[in-house]
Coordinates of all heavy atoms in Angstrom, one line a residue:
M19 N -10.7 -15.2 -5.4 CA -9.8 -14.1 -5.5 C -10.6 -12.8 -5.7 O -11.4 -12.6 -6.5 CB -8.9 -14.3 -6.7 CG -7.6 -13.3 -6.6 SD -6.6 -13.6 -5.3 CE -5.4 -12.3 -5.5
Q20 N -10.4 -11.8 -4.8 CA -11.1 -10.5 -4.8 C -10.5 -9.7 -5.9 O -9.3 -9.7 -6.1 CB -10.9 -9.8 -3.6 CG -11.5 -10.4 -2.3 CD -11.3 -9.6 -1.0 OE1 -12.1 -8.8 -0.8 NE2 -10.2 -9.9 -0.4
Q21 N -11.4 -9.0 -6.5 CA -10.9 -8.1 -7.6 C -11.0 -6.6 -7.0 O -11.9 -6.2 -6.3 CB -12.0 -8.0 -8.8 CG -12.0 -9.3 -9.5 CD -10.7 -9.7 -10.3 OE1 -10.1 -8.8 -10.8 NE2 -10.3 -10.9 -10.1
P22 N -9.9 -5.9 -7.3 CA -9.9 -4.4 -6.7 C -10.9 -3.6 -7.6 O -11.1 -3.8 -8.7 CB -8.4 -4.0 -7.1 CG -7.9 -4.9 -8.1 CD -8.6 -6.2 -8.0
S23 N -11.5 -2.8 -6.8 CA -12.5 -1.9 -7.5 C -12.4 -0.5 -6.7 O -12.1 -0.4 -5.5 CB -13.9 -2.4 -7.5 OG -14.4 -2.7 -6.1
V24 N -12.8 0.5 -7.5 CA -12.8 1.9 -6.9 C -13.7 1.9 -5.6 O -14.8 1.5 -5.5 CB -13.3 2.9 -7.9 CG1 -13.5 4.3 -7.3 CG2 -12.4 3.0 -9.1
G25 N -13.1 2.5 -4.6 CA -13.7 2.7 -3.4 C -13.4 1.7 -2.3 O -13.8 1.8 -1.1
R26 N -12.8 0.5 -2.7 CA -12.5 -0.5 -1.7 C -11.3 0.0 -0.8 O -10.4 0.7 -1.3 CB -12.0 -1.8 -2.4 CG -13.0 -2.4 -3.3 CD -14.2 -3.0 -2.5 NE -13.9 -4.1 -1.6 CZ -13.8 -5.3 -1.9 NH1 -13.8 -5.8 -3.2 NH2 -13.5 -6.2 -1.0
I27 N -11.3 -0.4 0.4 CA -10.2 0.0 1.3 C -9.1 -1.2 1.3 O -9.6 -2.4 1.5 CB -10.7 0.2 2.7 CG1 -11.6 1.6 2.7 CG2 -9.5 0.5 3.7 CD1 -12.1 2.0 4.0
V28 N -7.9 -0.9 1.2 CA -6.8 -1.9 1.2 C -5.7 -1.3 2.0 O -5.8 -0.2 2.7 CB -6.3 -2.1 -0.3 CG1 -7.4 -2.6 -1.2 CG2 -5.7 -0.8 -0.9
H29 N -4.6 -2.1 2.1 CA -3.5 -1.7 2.8 C -2.4 -1.2 1.8 O -2.1 -1.9 0.8 CB -2.8 -2.8 3.7 CG -3.6 -2.9 5.0 ND1 -3.2 -3.7 5.9 CD2 -4.7 -2.2 5.5 CE1 -4.0 -3.7 7.0 NE2 -4.9 -2.8 6.7
Y30 N -1.7 -0.1 2.1 CA -0.6 0.4 1.4 C 0.6 0.2 2.3 O 0.5 0.6 3.5 CB -0.8 1.8 1.0 CG 0.5 2.5 0.4 CD1 0.9 2.3 -0.9 CD2 1.4 3.3 1.2 CE1 2.1 2.8 -1.4 CE2 2.5 3.8 0.8 CZ 2.8 3.6 -0.6 OH 4.0 4.2 -1.1
V31 N 1.7 -0.3 1.7 CA 2.9 -0.5 2.6 C 3.8 0.7 2.5 O 4.3 0.9 1.4 CB 3.6 -1.8 2.2 CG1 4.8 -2.0 3.2 CG2 2.7 -3.0 2.2
S32 N 3.9 1.4 3.6 CA 4.8 2.6 3.5 C 6.3 2.2 3.3 O 6.7 1.1 3.7 CB 4.6 3.5 4.8 OG 5.2 2.8 5.9
H33 N 7.1 3.1 2.8 CA 8.5 2.9 2.6 C 9.2 3.1 3.9 O 8.9 4.3 4.6 CB 9.1 3.8 1.5 CG 8.7 3.4 0.2 ND1 9.2 2.5 -0.5 CD2 7.7 3.9 -0.6 CE1 8.7 2.3 -1.7 NE2 7.8 3.2 -1.8
G34 N 10.0 2.2 4.4 CA 10.7 2.5 5.6 C 12.0 3.3 5.2 O 12.3 3.4 4.0
T35 N 12.6 3.9 6.3 CA 13.9 4.7 6.0 C 15.0 3.6 5.8 O 14.9 2.5 6.3 CB 14.2 5.7 7.1 OG1 14.1 5.0 8.3 CG2 13.1 6.8 7.0
P36 N 16.1 4.0 5.1 CA 17.2 3.1 4.9 C 17.8 2.6 6.2 O 17.8 3.3 7.2 CB 18.2 3.9 4.2 CG 17.4 5.1 3.6 CD 16.3 5.3 4.6
P37 N 18.2 1.3 6.3 CA 18.8 0.8 7.5 C 20.0 1.5 7.9 O 20.9 1.8 7.0 CB 19.0 -0.7 7.2 CG 18.3 -1.0 5.9 CD 18.1 0.3 5.3
R38 N 20.2 1.7 9.3 CA 21.5 2.3 9.7 C 22.5 1.2 9.7 O 22.2 0.0 9.4 CB 21.3 2.8 11.2 CG 20.3 3.9 11.3 CD 20.3 4.4 12.7 NE 19.2 5.3 13.0 CZ 18.0 5.0 13.7 NH1 17.9 3.9 14.3 NH2 17.1 6.0 13.9
S39 N 23.8 1.5 10.1 CA 24.8 0.6 10.1 C 24.6 -0.6 11.0 O 25.0 -1.7 10.8 CB 26.2 1.2 10.3 OG 26.1 2.0 11.6
D40 N 23.8 -0.3 12.1 CA 23.6 -1.4 13.1 C 22.3 -2.2 12.8 O 21.8 -3.0 13.5 CB 23.4 -0.8 14.5 CG 22.2 0.2 14.6 OD1 21.5 0.4 13.7 OD2 22.0 0.7 15.8
G41 N 21.7 -1.9 11.6 CA 20.5 -2.6 11.1 C 19.2 -2.0 11.5 O 18.2 -2.5 11.1
T42 N 19.2 -1.1 12.5 CA 17.9 -0.5 12.9 C 17.5 0.6 11.8 O 18.3 1.0 11.0 CB 18.0 0.2 14.2 OG1 19.0 1.3 14.2 CG2 18.5 -0.8 15.3
Q43 N 16.1 1.0 11.9 CA 15.6 2.0 11.0 C 14.9 3.0 11.8 O 14.3 2.7 12.9 CB 14.6 1.3 10.1 CG 15.1 0.5 9.0 CD 14.0 -0.2 8.2 OE1 13.3 -1.0 8.6 NE2 13.7 0.4 7.0
A44 N 15.1 4.3 11.5 CA 14.3 5.3 12.1 C 12.8 5.1 11.9 O 12.0 5.3 12.8 CB 14.7 6.6 11.5
F45 N 12.3 4.7 10.7 CA 11.0 4.4 10.4 C 10.9 3.1 9.7 O 11.5 3.0 8.7 CB 10.3 5.6 9.6 CG 10.1 6.8 10.3 CD1 11.1 7.9 10.1 CD2 9.1 7.1 11.2 CE1 11.0 9.0 10.8 CE2 9.0 8.3 11.9 CZ 9.9 9.2 11.7
Q46 N 10.1 2.2 10.2 CA 10.0 0.9 9.6 C 8.8 1.0 8.6 O 7.9 1.8 8.8 CB 9.7 -0.2 10.6 CG 10.9 -0.4 11.6 CD 10.8 -1.6 12.4 OE1 9.7 -2.0 12.7 NE2 11.9 -2.1 12.9
S47 N 8.9 0.1 7.7 CA 7.7 -0.1 6.7 C 6.5 -0.5 7.5 O 6.6 -1.4 8.4 CB 8.2 -1.2 5.7 OG 7.2 -1.4 4.8
E48 N 5.3 0.1 7.2 CA 4.1 -0.1 7.8 C 2.9 -0.2 7.0 O 3.0 0.4 5.9 CB 3.8 1.0 8.9 CG 4.8 0.9 10.1 CD 4.2 1.9 11.1 OE1 3.2 1.5 11.8 OE2 4.9 2.9 11.4
C49 N 1.8 -1.0 7.3 CA 0.7 -1.0 6.6 C -0.1 0.3 6.9 O -0.3 0.7 8.0 CB -0.3 -2.1 7.0 SG 0.3 -3.7 6.6
R50 N -0.6 1.0 5.8 CA -1.5 2.1 6.0 C -2.8 1.9 5.3 O -2.8 1.3 4.2 CB -0.8 3.4 5.3 CG 0.5 3.8 6.0 CD 0.4 4.2 7.4 NE 1.5 4.8 7.9 CZ 1.8 4.9 9.2 NH1 1.0 4.4 10.1 NH2 2.9 5.4 9.6
A51 N -3.9 2.5 5.7 CA -5.2 2.4 5.2 C -5.2 3.2 3.9 O -4.5 4.3 3.8 CB -6.3 2.9 6.1
A52 N -5.7 2.6 2.9 CA -5.7 3.3 1.6 C -7.0 3.0 0.8 O -7.6 1.9 0.9 CB -4.6 3.0 0.7
I53 N -7.5 4.0 0.0 CA -8.8 3.8 -0.7 C -8.3 3.7 -2.2 O -7.6 4.5 -2.7 CB -9.8 5.0 -0.5 CG1 -10.2 5.0 0.9 CG2 -10.9 4.8 -1.3 CD1 -10.9 6.2 1.4
I54 N -8.9 2.7 -2.9 CA -8.6 2.6 -4.3 C -9.4 3.7 -5.0 O -10.5 3.9 -4.9 CB -9.1 1.2 -4.9 CG1 -8.2 0.1 -4.2 CG2 -8.9 1.2 -6.3 CD1 -8.6 -1.3 -4.5
T55 N -8.6 4.4 -5.9 CA -9.2 5.5 -6.6 C -9.2 5.3 -8.1 O -10.0 5.9 -8.9 CB -8.4 6.8 -6.4 OG1 -7.0 6.5 -6.9 CG2 -8.4 7.4 -5.0
E56 N -8.5 4.4 -8.6 CA -8.4 3.9 -10.0 C -8.0 2.5 -10.1 O -7.2 2.0 -9.3 CB -7.4 4.7 -10.8 CG -7.5 6.2 -10.8 CD -6.3 6.7 -11.4 OE1 -5.2 6.9 -10.7 OE2 -6.4 7.2 -12.6
V57 N -8.4 1.8 -11.1 CA -8.0 0.4 -11.3 C -7.4 0.2 -12.7 O -8.0 0.7 -13.7 CB -9.1 -0.6 -11.2 CG1 -8.7 -2.1 -11.4 CG2 -9.8 -0.6 -9.8
G58 N -6.2 -0.2 -12.8 CA -5.5 -0.4 -14.0 C -5.3 -1.9 -14.3 O -6.1 -2.7 -13.8
E59 N -4.3 -2.2 -15.1 CA -4.1 -3.6 -15.5 C -3.3 -4.4 -14.6 O -2.5 -3.7 -13.7 CB -3.4 -3.6 -16.9 CG -4.3 -3.0 -18.0 CD -3.9 -3.2 -19.4 OE1 -2.6 -3.6 -19.5 OE2 -4.6 -3.0 -20.3
N60 N -3.5 -5.6 -14.5 CA -2.6 -6.5 -13.6 C -2.8 -6.1 -12.1 O -1.8 -6.2 -11.4 CB -1.3 -6.6 -14.1 CG -1.1 -7.1 -15.5 OD1 -1.8 -8.1 -15.8 ND2 -0.3 -6.6 -16.3
D61 N -4.0 -5.7 -11.7 CA -4.1 -5.3 -10.3 C -3.3 -4.1 -9.8 O -3.0 -4.0 -8.6 CB -3.8 -6.5 -9.4 CG -5.0 -7.6 -9.4 OD1 -6.0 -7.2 -10.0 OD2 -4.8 -8.6 -8.7
T62 N -2.9 -3.4 -10.8 CA -2.2 -2.1 -10.5 C -3.3 -1.1 -10.2 O -4.3 -1.0 -11.0 CB -1.3 -1.6 -11.6 OG1 -0.3 -2.5 -11.7 CG2 -0.7 -0.2 -11.2
V63 N -3.3 -0.4 -9.1 CA -4.3 0.6 -8.7 C -3.7 2.0 -8.4 O -2.5 2.1 -8.1 CB -5.1 0.0 -7.6 CG1 -5.8 -1.3 -7.9 CG2 -4.3 0.0 -6.2
G64 N -4.6 2.9 -8.5 CA -4.4 4.3 -7.9 C -4.9 4.3 -6.5 O -5.9 3.7 -6.2
L65 N -4.1 4.9 -5.6 CA -4.5 4.9 -4.2 C -4.5 6.3 -3.6 O -3.7 7.1 -3.9 CB -3.6 4.0 -3.4 CG -3.6 2.6 -3.6 CD1 -2.5 1.9 -2.7 CD2 -4.9 2.0 -3.4
C66 N -5.4 6.5 -2.7 CA -5.4 7.7 -1.7 C -5.0 7.0 -0.4 O -5.7 6.2 0.2 CB -6.7 8.3 -1.6 SG -6.7 9.5 -0.2
V67 N -3.7 7.3 0.0 CA -3.2 6.6 1.3 C -3.5 7.6 2.5 O -3.2 8.7 2.4 CB -1.7 6.4 1.2 CG1 -1.1 5.8 2.4 CG2 -1.4 5.5 -0.2
L68 N -4.0 7.0 3.5 CA -4.4 7.7 4.7 C -3.4 7.5 5.7 O -3.4 6.5 6.5 CB -5.8 7.3 5.2 CG -6.9 7.4 4.1 CD1 -8.2 6.8 4.6 CD2 -7.1 8.8 3.6
N69 N -2.4 8.4 5.9 CA -1.4 8.3 6.9 C -2.0 8.9 8.1 O -2.9 9.8 8.0 CB -0.2 9.0 6.5 CG 0.6 8.3 5.4 OD1 1.1 7.2 5.6 ND2 0.6 8.9 4.2
P70 N -1.5 8.7 9.3 CA -2.0 9.3 10.6 C -2.0 10.9 10.5 O -2.8 11.6 11.1 CB -1.1 8.9 11.7 CG -0.6 7.5 11.2 CD -0.4 7.7 9.7
T71 N -1.0 11.5 9.8 CA -0.9 12.9 9.8 C -1.1 13.6 8.4 O -0.9 14.7 8.1 CB 0.4 13.3 10.3 OG1 1.5 12.7 9.5 CG2 0.6 13.0 11.7
G72 N -1.6 12.7 7.4 CA -1.8 13.3 6.1 C -2.1 12.3 5.0 O -2.0 11.1 5.3
Q73 N -2.5 12.8 3.8 CA -2.8 11.9 2.8 C -1.8 11.9 1.6 O -1.2 13.0 1.5 CB -4.2 12.3 2.1 CG -5.3 12.2 3.0 CD -6.6 12.7 2.5 OE1 -6.8 12.6 1.3 NE2 -7.4 13.2 3.3
F74 N -1.6 10.8 1.0 CA -0.7 10.8 -0.3 C -1.6 10.2 -1.3 O -2.3 9.3 -1.1 CB 0.4 9.9 0.0 CG 1.6 10.5 0.8 CD1 1.9 10.0 2.0 CD2 2.3 11.6 0.3 CE1 3.0 10.5 2.6 CE2 3.3 12.2 1.0 CZ 3.6 11.6 2.3
F75 N -1.4 10.7 -2.5 CA -2.1 10.2 -3.7 C -1.0 9.5 -4.7 O 0.0 10.1 -4.9 CB -2.9 11.2 -4.4 CG -4.0 11.8 -3.6 CD1 -3.7 12.9 -2.7 CD2 -5.2 11.3 -3.6 CE1 -4.8 13.4 -2.0 CE2 -6.3 11.8 -2.9 CZ -6.0 12.8 -2.0
H76 N -1.4 8.3 -5.0 CA -0.5 7.6 -6.0 C -1.4 7.3 -7.1 O -2.2 6.3 -7.1 CB 0.0 6.3 -5.4 CG 0.9 6.6 -4.3 ND1 2.3 6.8 -4.5 CD2 0.7 6.5 -2.9 CE1 2.8 6.9 -3.3 NE2 1.9 6.7 -2.3
S77 N -1.4 8.1 -8.2 CA -2.2 7.9 -9.4 C -1.6 6.8 -10.3 O -0.4 6.6 -10.3 CB -2.5 9.2 -10.1 OG -1.2 9.6 -10.7
L78 N -2.5 6.3 -11.2 CA -2.0 5.4 -12.2 C -1.1 6.2 -13.1 O 0.0 5.7 -13.6 CB -3.2 4.8 -13.0 CG -4.1 3.8 -12.3 CD1 -5.2 3.3 -13.4 CD2 -3.2 2.6 -11.9
A79 N -1.5 7.5 -13.5 CA -0.6 8.3 -14.3 C 0.8 8.4 -13.7 O 1.8 8.5 -14.5 CB -1.2 9.6 -14.5
A80 N 1.0 8.3 -12.4 CA 2.3 8.4 -11.8 C 2.9 7.0 -11.5 O 3.8 6.8 -10.8 CB 2.2 9.1 -10.5
G81 N 2.2 6.0 -12.1 CA 2.8 4.6 -11.9 C 1.9 3.7 -11.1 O 2.0 2.5 -11.3
G82 N 1.0 4.3 -10.3 CA 0.1 3.4 -9.5 C 0.9 2.6 -8.5 O 2.1 2.8 -8.3
C83 N 0.2 1.7 -7.9 CA 0.7 0.8 -6.8 C 0.5 -0.7 -7.3 O -0.6 -1.0 -7.7 CB 0.1 1.0 -5.5 SG 0.4 2.7 -4.9
H84 N 1.5 -1.5 -7.1 CA 1.3 -2.9 -7.5 C 0.9 -3.8 -6.4 O 1.2 -3.5 -5.3 CB 2.7 -3.4 -8.0 CG 3.2 -2.6 -9.2 ND1 2.7 -2.7 -10.6 CD2 4.2 -1.7 -9.3 CE1 3.3 -1.9 -11.3 NE2 4.2 -1.2 -10.6
H85 N 0.1 -4.8 -6.7 CA -0.4 -5.7 -5.8 C 0.7 -6.7 -5.4 O 1.3 -7.3 -6.2 CB -1.6 -6.5 -6.4 CG -2.2 -7.5 -5.4 ND1 -2.6 -8.7 -5.8 CD2 -2.6 -7.2 -4.1 CE1 -3.1 -9.3 -4.8 NE2 -3.1 -8.5 -3.7
Q86 N 0.8 -6.9 -4.0 CA 1.9 -7.8 -3.6 C 1.3 -8.3 -2.3 O 1.3 -7.7 -1.2 CB 3.2 -7.1 -3.3 CG 4.3 -8.1 -3.5 CD 5.7 -7.3 -3.7 OE1 5.8 -6.3 -3.1 NE2 6.5 -7.8 -4.6
E87 N 0.6 -9.6 -2.4 CA -0.1 -10.1 -1.1 C 0.9 -10.6 -0.1 O 0.5 -10.4 1.1 CB -1.1 -11.2 -1.6 CG -2.2 -11.4 -0.7 CD -3.2 -10.2 -0.4 OE1 -3.4 -9.4 -1.3 OE2 -3.5 -10.0 0.8
N88 N 1.9 -11.1 -0.4 CA 2.8 -11.9 0.6 C 3.9 -11.1 1.0 O 4.3 -11.0 2.2 CB 3.1 -13.3 0.2 CG 1.8 -14.1 -0.1 OD1 0.9 -14.1 0.8 ND2 1.7 -14.9 -1.2
E89 N 4.7 -10.6 0.0 CA 6.0 -10.0 0.4 C 5.9 -8.6 1.0 O 6.6 -8.3 1.7 CB 6.9 -9.9 -0.9 CG 7.4 -11.3 -1.3 CD 8.6 -11.1 -2.2 OE1 9.3 -10.1 -2.0 OE2 8.9 -12.0 -2.9
Q90 N 4.9 -7.9 0.6 CA 4.6 -6.6 1.2 C 5.8 -5.7 1.2 O 6.2 -5.2 2.3 CB 4.0 -6.7 2.7 CG 2.7 -7.6 2.6 CD 2.0 -7.6 3.9 OE1 2.5 -7.1 4.9 NE2 0.9 -8.3 4.0
A91 N 6.3 -5.5 0.0 CA 7.4 -4.5 -0.2 C 6.8 -3.1 -0.1 O 5.6 -2.9 -0.4 CB 8.0 -4.7 -1.5
G92 N 7.6 -2.1 0.3 CA 7.3 -0.8 0.4 C 6.8 -0.3 -0.9 O 7.3 -0.5 -2.0
G93 N 5.6 0.4 -0.9 CA 5.1 1.0 -2.2 C 4.0 0.0 -2.8 O 3.4 0.5 -3.7
S94 N 3.8 -1.2 -2.3 CA 2.8 -2.1 -2.8 C 1.5 -2.1 -2.0 O 1.5 -1.4 -1.0 CB 3.3 -3.5 -2.8 OG 3.5 -4.0 -1.5
W95 N 0.5 -2.7 -2.5 CA -0.7 -2.8 -1.7 C -1.2 -4.2 -1.6 O -0.8 -5.1 -2.3 CB -1.9 -2.0 -2.4 CG -2.4 -2.6 -3.7 CD1 -1.9 -2.3 -4.9 CD2 -3.5 -3.5 -3.8 NE1 -2.7 -3.1 -5.8 CE2 -3.7 -3.8 -5.1 CE3 -4.4 -4.0 -2.8 CZ2 -4.7 -4.7 -5.6 CZ3 -5.4 -4.9 -3.3 CH2 -5.6 -5.2 -4.7
H96 N -2.1 -4.5 -0.6 CA -2.5 -5.8 -0.3 C -3.9 -5.7 0.4 O -4.2 -4.7 0.9 CB -1.6 -6.7 0.4 CG -1.2 -6.1 1.8 ND1 -0.1 -5.4 1.9 CD2 -1.8 -6.2 3.0 CE1 0.1 -5.0 3.1 NE2 -1.0 -5.4 3.9
W97 N -4.7 -6.8 0.3 CA -6.0 -6.8 1.1 C -5.6 -6.8 2.6 O -4.7 -7.4 3.0 CB -6.8 -8.0 0.7 CG -7.2 -7.9 -0.7 CD1 -6.6 -8.7 -1.7 CD2 -8.1 -7.2 -1.3 NE1 -7.3 -8.4 -2.9 CE2 -8.1 -7.5 -2.7 CE3 -8.9 -6.1 -0.9 CZ2 -9.0 -6.8 -3.7 CZ3 -9.8 -5.4 -1.8 CH2 -9.8 -5.8 -3.2
P98 N -6.5 -6.1 3.4 CA -6.2 -6.0 4.8 C -6.2 -7.3 5.4 O -7.1 -8.2 5.2 CB -7.4 -5.1 5.4 CG -7.8 -4.3 4.2 CD -7.6 -5.2 3.0
E99 N -5.2 -7.6 6.3 CA -5.1 -8.9 7.0 C -6.3 -9.0 7.9 O -6.8 -8.1 8.5 CB -3.8 -8.9 7.9 CG -2.5 -8.8 7.1 CD -2.0 -7.4 6.7 OE1 -2.8 -6.4 7.1 OE2 -1.0 -7.3 6.2
R100 N -6.7 -10.3 8.0 CA -7.8 -10.6 9.0 C -7.2 -10.7 10.4 O -6.1 -11.3 10.6 CB -8.4 -11.9 8.7 CG -9.2 -11.8 7.4 CD -10.2 -13.1 7.2 NE -10.8 -13.1 5.9 CZ -11.8 -12.3 5.6 NH1 -12.4 -11.5 6.6 NH2 -12.4 -12.4 4.5
V101 N -7.7 -10.1 11.3 CA -7.3 -10.1 12.7 C -8.3 -10.6 13.7 O -9.4 -10.7 13.4 CB -6.8 -8.6 13.1 CG1 -5.6 -8.2 12.4 CG2 -8.0 -7.6 13.0
Ligands
ZN224 ZN1 -1.4 -4.9 5.9

């Protein structure tokens, strides 16, 4: 099991927009590249998220991001999938 550490690159799962009445979404949840900036307890980390058009920072002080390897819910992080 890999341990998160400052400077590692992981995936952050972006939040999709709410589903419309027909089930489609304007923006779907997607994996974004992110750099770990802080490591907290239970694999909660601070991230600098690299979106195609800008960066977002999620600090531990603001709650950080939780590790979710399989479900990949919006707002969580995971190790990059092997391709
Ligand atoms: Zn991913």
Side-chain angles (χ1 to χ4, degrees):
M19 193 65 187
Q20 298 179 89
Q21 296 292 321
S23 58
V24 171
R26 301 290 300 276
I27 293 180
V28 298
H29 280 183
Y30 170 81
V31 182
S32 68
H33 289 279
T35 51
R38 302 185 184 108
S39 55
D40 65 358
T42 62
Q43 284 177 287
F45 293 98
Q46 296 187 338
S47 180
E48 289 190 72
C49 289
R50 298 297 190 201
I53 299 172
I54 296 176
T55 56
E56 304 171 278
V57 178
E59 297 189 344
N60 299 319
D61 285 352
T62 298
V63 301
L65 293 178
C66 168
V67 180
L68 306 176
N69 292 291
T71 55
Q73 299 174 30
F74 282 116
F75 294 90
H76 295 276
S77 66
L78 288 179
C83 298
H84 301 286
H85 181 226
Q86 213 162 39
E87 199 61 37
N88 298 316
E89 287 202 22
Q90 301 188 358
S94 69
W95 73 271
H96 55 270
W97 297 106
E99 295 84 354
R100 292 193 185 281
V101 291

